[in-house]
Amino acid sequence: MERRTIFPGRLLPAALVAPQLLLTVVFFVWPALHACWMSLHSEDPFGLASVFVGFDNYAALFGDPLYIATVARTIVFCFAVASISMLVALPLAVFADADIRGRAVYRTLLIWPYAVAPALAAVLWILLVHPQIGLLGRPLDRLLSLAGGHWDYKLNGGQALLVVVLASAWKQVSYNFIFLLAGLQSIPRAVIEAAQVDGARGWRRFRTILLPLLSPTLFFLLIVNLVYAAFDTFGTIQAMTQGGPAQATQTLVVKVFRDGHDNGDLGSSSAQSVVLMLGVIALTAAQFRFLGRQRH
Amino acid sequence: MARLELDGLRKSFGATHVLHGVDLSVGDGEMLVIVGASGCGKSTLLRLVAGLDAPTSGRVKLDGNDITRLDPSERDMAMVFQNYALYPHMSVFDNMAYGLRIRGMSKGEIGRRVGEAASLLGLEASTLDRKPRQLSGGQRQRVAMGRAIVREPKLFLFDEPLSNLDAKLRVQMRAEIRKLQRRLGVTSLYVTHDQVEAMTLGDRLLVMHEGRPAQLATPLEVFERPADRYVAGFIGAPSMNFLDGELTGDGAAVCLKAGCALALPFRLTAGEKSVTVGIRPEYVETGRGDLRMQVDLVEPLGSETVVHGRLIGTDEDLVARIPGAVPSGEVMKLALPPQHLHLFERKSGRRILPSQPSASSDG
Amino acid sequence: MRANWLAHAVLCCGVLLFLLPVWLIFAGSTQLSHSIARGELSLLPHLSGLDVYRRVLLGPGVNGEASVPHMLMISACMALAIAFGKIAVSLLSAYAVAFFRFPFRMVAFWTIFLTLMLPVEVRIVPTYLVMSDLGLINSFGGLTVPLIASATATLLFRQVFLAVPDELMEAARMDGAGPWRFLVDILIPVSAANIAALFVILFVYGWNQYLWPLLVATDPRLDTVVVGIVRMIGVESLTPWDEVMAVATLALLPPVAVVLLMQRWFVKGLTEGEK
């Protein structure tokens, strides 16, 4: 899309984009290229010199069963977070779109959690599910102990993954709610009325009219949620489990942070970064191809 | 007060030629209407004059000064836009005052000018504090006019200013614009696709067709002596009828497909023998004559009736506008009075001028 | 009627799902730390325990860290600097891309767009290296400046600007407005609602940062409140639960307040911008 009229001049626009461009190149493009370079090199044990090693870092990465397990875990984690938060948000949006009393109040009360920081979501959930102090954790532990089990996400990997998924999905519900509600509101009133005239009501109307018309929004949200689950949940996981117990809740981002920042393994961490970048690029491309198709 | 001259003005966007070279001279205080179908280049022409676009070649002169390269702000012109382009966040007063403030005019002078313009346009004082979205379409139109008036520019540019109004308001505003322009005596260019607007507003019309000026003349002249087949078809409603014809050898008559020879009021000896015969629906006479029309559709308009049909023995359609109610019947007799015929070269579409003018000219 | 009843039931459940955890930390903040640790967390707040907020806000730092007001201040400064910085930088670059033609215009646009695909999370180490080369580790500038580049905000402004009718700019030019006047007098006021929406989104984004401050600021004096809370629950046996919950409540308030106060603009801006 282009404008019909523009201002003349070349120096002014160049000056206007300069700050943004400078920040982008220094803090985004350069580090990304540096990551690519580092991923092809290895430092000697004293960190004094780096040697070109080709794709050795990548080979080591994909030869490492722990890394493969982390990739698989991240994929499961992302889809679990995305689907749970969308499944919870969908009925809320559908009913908040309905013509009922107090609609505006409900909307407000479902929108504010957008503001909760991922790391704070973890703190809230700790107080719910903590085996000793949690409001739900304590009864749950008692219940499980009847069957000879225990509720302790600090020790049990499966339980840890569950609570991290729930806390991450919980934080994302209101984002999905906002978009689904907007999607529902953009469906032309006439279409709904036509469906009413045709006798479609309740569940049938939802399944045959609303859901198909909402599918572009749902796809958009799926991608956004996957990206959120992959990257923005670092704070949630770090605050709740630090990726533990063992590596039960370690996602790719947590691992990059561990290996690169905490352990200083630059080669491997950079290779992981490059793999992640390819992942984001693939997701973004999917999203924009889809949006492009929508427009035509 | 100013005189505008355009000198070989061309505009291309890449390989697309939008304007093929326009020469034009608009006199002091004149209202020149540029009319044409969408895509004919009329808006582009206006934007080149305004300085919103730069021409590919050619020059724009105002009072003899070459202003082709000047910024719009330096041209001393004001423009009224189709969608009014009022600043939505400013009050009516500020909308009108904005251009004056930029020019550093004193507060008192701004207040005086805006007040004058408002009363000239019949805008009440209470309107001045409102935002554009609180106004009706007609009021917005007036504010847009006011914004142009307060500047007291050398040239007014109107870009289809009435097309967003409903039919009734359009007629009313059309008359107001005409009166106002006469009173202020500001040289004006007015772009429209509406031929009624063009006919009623313009001192002269410039009919544009595919980036070229097709005819530049007074409204009546354009109506009575269209320069080519396009102009003939564009001006007038319902459109002029066009029938294929062949000039007889002596150039004194024309033969139609329907088979009859129409005697011409003048003799055409030179040029092409293949012609297009044009006649306006209101001049088609019914109930007598040698032509027969199969009637397809009758549209009674009260004071008159529009009849659509096909000439028997041909594939040519014809429209007739007949005063009063129409006599019933599926086949209708027709006559085409020679003094109302227009002749065009079939290939080029150009009007054929009589080689020896006749006493009874058309119209 | 039955559908209405169902709608209210579902929506109430949703509302509770969000309110309950927040109420819990508020209630918990008023209770005694050791009774919470014993598992006596209750949904009923103890009014007498409201004193914890005075302690937290006036007292020195918990566990010898920076004080809570200081952390809140760092968070607020960071959120505001990021929000205003991103808006300013993105507004200008979107203006240049939408209203001018200049060499490499599309190259510049796509370079900015690229940042969408390069979140901090995927380039932790090299970004840290750049930061330390530039001496930005443990500085407020380091905390904020690198986050100010924004593809999302630039795309949003570009979209908003492209939707501004051509005639509005043409009218301004005919009135004699140059690029700066048009930007300041017309474009910014016309886009005010979008700017407000973006402000909400970016303020929340800035306030909620966790990984970035963790990466570039090890100095406790630069701890944001979010980083501070996670640090406070680090050693669980020593965790002063009532204070953690009080700080968590305080940390929640500003972004939630911003979202609620500017709810209408925010929802519109968010959904229109990202599509």
Side-chain angles (χ1 to χ4, degrees):
Chain A
M1 219 165 112
E2 296 291 331
R3 300 199 72 84
R4 192 170 68 194
T5 2
I6 46 147
F7 283 111
R10 298 185 154 188
L11 225 56
L12 180 63
L16 291 174
V17 282
Q20 176 92 283
L21 220 48
L22 188 72
L23 290 173
T24 304
V25 171
V26 172
F27 295 111
F28 288 76
V29 178
W30 167 246
L33 293 177
H34 196 195
C36 294
W37 187 86
M38 283 197 298
S39 73
L40 301 175
H41 290 73
S42 187
E43 295 207 331
D44 65 30
F46 307 104
L48 296 174
S50 65
V51 198
F52 180 77
V53 294
F55 288 96
D56 282 5
N57 285 323
Y58 293 95
L61 208 53
F62 287 103
D64 179 3
L66 285 179
Y67 185 69
I68 301 297
T70 307
V71 172
R73 186 183 310 118
T74 306
I75 292 173
V76 171
F77 173 81
C78 289
F79 276 95
V81 170
S83 45
I84 291 175
S85 68
M86 285 166 75
L87 279 176
V88 174
L90 188 58
L92 293 175
V94 170
F95 285 117
D97 184 46
D99 195 12
I100 59 164
R101 196 185 293 199
R103 200 161 48 160
V105 178
Y106 282 124
R107 284 180 192 171
T108 305
L109 288 175
L110 290 168
I111 282 170
W112 70 264
Y114 173 86
V116 178
L120 273 182
V123 176
L124 298 183
W125 272 74
I126 288 174
L127 296 172
L128 279 179
V129 299
H130 194 283
Q132 280 91 51
I133 66 175
L135 201 66
L136 302 175
R138 273 178 290 132
L140 202 59
D141 189 33
R142 244 173 278 143
L143 201 69
L144 285 181
S145 62
L146 294 180
H150 270 295
W151 171 258
D152 192 347
Y153 68 88
K154 300 250 168 199
L155 299 174
N156 183 318
Q159 293 173 0
L161 194 58
L162 180 69
V163 295
V164 171
V165 165
L166 288 179
S168 303
W170 178 86
K171 191 252 161 294
Q172 191 66 356
V173 169
S174 60
Y175 183 92
N176 288 317
F177 172 79
I178 292 167
F179 274 86
L180 288 171
L181 188 59
L184 285 167
Q185 285 171 339
S186 72
I187 295 176
R189 191 91 209 127
V191 174
I192 310 275
E193 283 163 2
Q196 260 165 358
V197 172
D198 282 341
R201 305 179 53 193
W203 171 249
R204 178 187 288 271
R205 188 177 77 183
F206 173 75
R207 197 174 51 83
T208 58
I209 309 288
L210 296 186
L211 207 53
L213 289 174
L214 213 50
S215 59
T217 310
L218 288 169
F219 179 81
F220 165 83
L221 284 176
L222 177 66
I223 303 280
V224 172
N225 283 313
L226 290 178
V227 172
Y228 157 81
F231 301 107
D232 296 342
T233 53
F234 175 83
T236 317
I237 297 172
Q238 184 75 2
M240 277 190 112
T241 63
Q242 291 87 40
Q247 278 141 15
T249 54
Q250 189 178 64
T251 60
L252 287 168
V253 169
V254 176
K255 186 167 165 61
V256 175
F257 190 79
R258 278 284 162 283
D259 291 352
H261 186 258
D262 296 353
N263 303 333
D265 184 350
L266 300 189
S268 171
S269 161
S270 301
Q272 292 179 38
S273 289
V274 174
V275 172
L276 275 175
M277 273 185 239
L278 294 177
V280 192
I281 288 169
L283 279 174
T284 317
Q287 183 180 340
F288 274 84
R289 268 195 67 158
F290 178 78
L291 287 179
R293 215 172 51 226
Q294 284 295 111
R295 264 199 288 275
H296 295 304
Chain B
M1 306 307 107
R3 188 179 164 75
L4 174 76
E5 281 165 282
L6 306 184
D7 195 359
L9 217 50
R10 281 167 201 278
K11 178 69 182 175
S12 316
F13 294 102
T16 338
H17 303 290
V18 185
L19 281 182
H20 295 275
V22 178
D23 298 295
L24 183 66
S25 171
V26 188
D28 195 2
E30 185 183 9
M31 175 80 134
L32 185 104
V33 176
I34 306 171
V35 63
S38 64
C40 70
K42 58 186 191 297
S43 290
T44 307
L45 185 60
L46 196 71
R47 296 164 50 74
L48 294 183
V49 173
L52 294 169
D53 254 333
T56 310
S57 66
R59 283 184 300 171
V60 181
K61 286 193 242 171
L62 195 62
D63 281 339
N65 303 318
D66 189 339
I67 58 165
T68 318
R69 300 284 150 207
L70 287 191
D71 194 73
S73 56
E74 301 161 326
R75 295 193 176 202
D76 203 5
M77 300 176 181
M79 188 154 166
V80 180
F81 294 87
Q82 175 173 356
N83 62 10
Y84 319 134
L86 299 178
Y87 310 123
H89 58 293
M90 291 186 193
S91 70
V92 167
F93 184 94
D94 290 337
N95 261 284
M96 294 207 246
Y98 186 62
L100 304 180
R101 288 200 181 120
I102 289 182
R103 283 171 174 73
M105 194 172 281
S106 74
K107 261 195 169 161
E109 177 68 5
I110 292 176
R112 191 187 61 75
R113 282 202 189 184
V114 173
E116 269 179 19
S119 67
L120 197 63
L121 290 162
L123 287 170
E124 289 152 31
S126 64
T127 325
L128 291 179
D129 301 327
R130 299 216 195 123
K131 294 275 169 68
R133 64 168 176 279
Q134 298 167 293
L135 305 180
S136 69
Q139 284 173 314
R140 278 181 220 180
Q141 171 63 51
R142 286 193 171 86
V143 176
M145 294 278 299
R147 187 166 65 180
I149 292 172
V150 294
R151 292 259 314 278
E152 298 181 3
K154 283 188 173 162
L155 195 68
F156 276 148
L157 304 173
F158 296 90
D159 188 6
E160 309 229 11
L162 301 180
S163 40
N164 280 7
L165 297 177
D166 63 48
K168 201 176 158 198
L169 207 53
R170 193 155 43 201
V171 173
Q172 186 193 336
M173 286 305 295
R174 196 169 73 203
E176 284 188 29
I177 288 181
R178 187 60 179 137
K179 276 188 270 178
L180 204 64
Q181 194 269 338
R182 284 259 162 82
R183 195 162 140 195
L184 299 172
V186 178
T187 315
S188 304
L189 278 188
Y190 188 108
V191 162
T192 181
H193 66 273
D194 182 324
Q195 48 156 317
V196 181
E197 236 170 85
M199 296 291 284
T200 50
L201 278 174
D203 292 319
R204 282 193 298 158
L205 301 190
L206 173 65
V207 185
M208 297 280 297
H209 180 45
E210 290 177 348
R212 291 190 172 84
Q215 188 168 12
L216 174 64
T218 64
L220 271 187
E221 169 116 6
V222 170
F223 185 80
E224 290 176 352
R225 276 182 292 282
D228 61 22
R229 198 190 139 148
Y230 175 80
V231 176
F234 186 77
I235 300 287
S239 285
M240 187 185 278
N241 294 295
F242 295 108
L243 304 168
D244 284 350
E246 296 291 331
L247 283 177
T248 54
D250 60 358
V254 63
C255 278
L256 299 178
K257 277 187 183 170
C260 95
L262 293 169
L264 296 175
F266 42 75
R267 208 171 259 266
L268 286 172
T269 46
E272 293 260 346
K273 294 293 173 196
S274 296
V275 297
T276 301
V277 177
I279 184 158
R280 297 206 180 270
E282 52 269 42
Y283 295 133
V284 175
E285 290 179 7
T286 55
R288 66 173 191 89
D290 308 324
L291 291 170
R292 275 164 210 286
M293 179 170 80
Q294 177 78 42
V295 175
D296 292 334
L297 175 68
V298 175
E299 298 174 321
L301 299 176
S303 63
E304 57 186 24
T305 307
V306 177
V307 182
H308 300 254
R310 174 161 292 192
L311 288 178
I312 287 173
T314 71
D315 56 353
E316 291 178 316
D317 292 329
L318 197 106
V319 179
R321 219 165 104 185
I322 306 154
V326 83
S328 58
E330 302 227 311
V331 176
M332 198 176 257
K333 280 185 184 170
L334 295 178
L336 310 179
Q339 70 272 24
H340 292 303
L341 294 184
H342 301 257
L343 291 184
F344 305 96
E345 287 178 6
R346 177 115 35 102
K347 255 194 201 145
S348 68
R350 270 197 300 272
R351 179 180 191 81
I352 302 174
L353 297 169
S355 40
Q356 47 182 89
S358 130
S360 61
S361 73
D362 42 352
Chain C
M1 277 301 97
R2 189 189 66 90
N4 265 356
W5 175 84
L6 185 65
H8 284 293
V10 169
L11 291 172
C12 284
C13 284
V15 168
L16 278 182
L17 180 68
F18 293 114
L19 281 184
L20 199 66
V22 174
W23 178 254
L24 189 64
I25 59 158
F26 170 69
S29 69
T30 63
Q31 296 163 32
L32 293 174
S33 182
H34 57 262
S35 55
I36 295 172
R38 272 203 310 270
E40 290 164 11
L41 184 57
S42 150
L43 275 174
L44 293 176
H46 301 175
L47 285 180
S48 58
L50 282 173
D51 181 56
V52 70
Y53 287 93
R54 199 180 53 81
R55 266 193 350 257
V56 162
L57 284 174
L58 297 181
V62 183
N63 284 359
E65 305 278 350
S67 71
V68 172
H70 190 264
M71 292 195 292
L72 286 168
M73 188 197 69
I74 293 288
S75 281
C77 290
M78 184 175 168
L80 289 173
I82 288 175
F84 285 117
K86 266 183 191 271
I87 286 174
V89 163
S90 304
L91 187 92
L92 294 182
S93 51
Y95 183 51
V97 171
F99 284 93
F100 293 85
R101 298 276 177 287
F102 54 96
F104 306 113
R105 184 173 70 107
M106 288 328 272
V107 176
F109 180 69
W110 287 109
T111 309
I112 294 167
F113 182 81
L114 209 65
T115 59
L116 213 56
M117 305 194 184
L118 301 170
V120 183
E121 289 83 354
V122 308
R123 48 188 173 80
I124 290 170
V125 171
T127 309
Y128 183 85
L129 295 179
V130 169
M131 298 295 291
S132 68
D133 285 349
L134 295 176
L136 286 170
I137 300 293
N138 281 330
S139 73
F140 185 72
L143 214 49
T144 50
V145 173
L147 296 188
I148 281 174
S150 171
T152 321
T154 309
L155 287 174
L156 183 122
F157 276 127
R158 177 174 167 270
Q159 212 163 338
V160 170
F161 291 168
L162 287 179
V164 169
D166 281 309
E167 286 85 353
L168 206 59
M169 179 217 188
E170 291 168 4
R173 290 190 71 187
M174 296 299 290
D175 268 344
W180 276 114
R181 260 188 184 282
F182 176 65
L183 178 68
V184 174
D185 289 350
I186 315 283
L187 204 55
I188 290 178
V190 163
S191 324
N194 301 88
I195 295 175
L198 203 59
F199 173 80
V200 179
I201 296 167
L202 297 177
F203 182 87
V204 169
Y205 166 87
W207 185 276
N208 290 351
Q209 283 299 316
Y210 176 71
L211 176 71
W212 184 251
L214 205 61
L215 192 63
V216 300
T218 46
D219 185 344
R221 278 172 307 169
L222 282 172
D223 271 355
T224 65
V225 71
V226 172
V227 170
I229 290 173
V230 177
R231 212 174 286 241
M232 281 163 77
I233 56 172
V235 191
E236 229 169 65
S237 55
L238 301 174
T239 307
W241 286 110
D242 56 339
E243 292 182 5
V244 169
M245 293 192 225
V247 178
T249 310
L250 290 173
L252 269 177
L253 280 178
V256 170
V258 168
V259 166
L260 289 183
L261 287 175
M262 302 172 85
Q263 185 189 345
R264 179 175 295 179
W265 291 320
F266 153 69
V267 170
K268 212 166 150 275
L270 184 69
T271 50
E272 277 174 7
E274 299 219 358
K275 277 199 188 177

